[in-house]
Amino acid sequence: MAVTTVKSTYSLDVESVRTLEALARRWTVSKSEVLRRALRIAAATTDKGENARTEALNRLQAAVRERGVDLAQWERDVGTERLAAGSRVESSSR
């Protein structure tokens, strides 16, 4: 069965082209196939609405874990900073 294709021309920045080529090599497919897959993935992700936002949060949290950020310590630091800022505001308004 023949598949209908449409030739198109697009302009990409150098980094995008390098990424496209790297994915094509990694997946051992054509650059066109990489673009088709990326479009399908993007369409499936954006159709999820609320899930897309949750997935973005999950990716952010994973990135924080990968970088070894101690979230409990970060929370304590922010709390201390907020208390200190509140004290400065109170003393300046007297």
Side-chain angles (χ1 to χ4, degrees):
M1 181 169 133
V3 176
T4 304
T5 61
V6 177
K7 273 196 173 249
S8 298
T9 302
Y10 298 95
S11 297
L12 300 172
D13 58 275
V14 173
E15 184 178 342
S16 295
V17 171
R18 287 182 181 150
T19 303
L20 177 64
E21 291 170 342
L23 286 171
R25 280 190 304 275
R26 184 183 326 158
W27 296 345
T28 60
V29 297
S30 67
K31 291 183 273 186
S32 294
E33 179 60 20
V34 171
L35 290 171
R36 283 190 288 273
R37 290 180 185 184
L39 289 170
R40 283 193 296 270
I41 291 167
T45 301
T46 55
D47 287 345
K48 294 178 184 176
E50 185 65 35
N51 288 340
R53 290 186 284 275
T54 302
E55 288 174 15
L57 175 60
N58 290 338
R59 286 192 305 272
L60 173 63
Q61 290 171 335
V64 167
R65 279 191 300 275
E66 287 172 6
R67 287 174 177 78
V69 175
D70 182 350
L71 292 178
Q73 183 61 49
W74 177 81
E75 184 178 8
R76 287 189 294 274
D77 293 345
V78 169
T80 302
E81 290 173 14
R82 287 180 178 168
L83 286 173
S87 297
R88 286 192 301 268
V89 170
E90 278 184 26
S91 62
S92 67
S93 62
R94 291 182 188 173

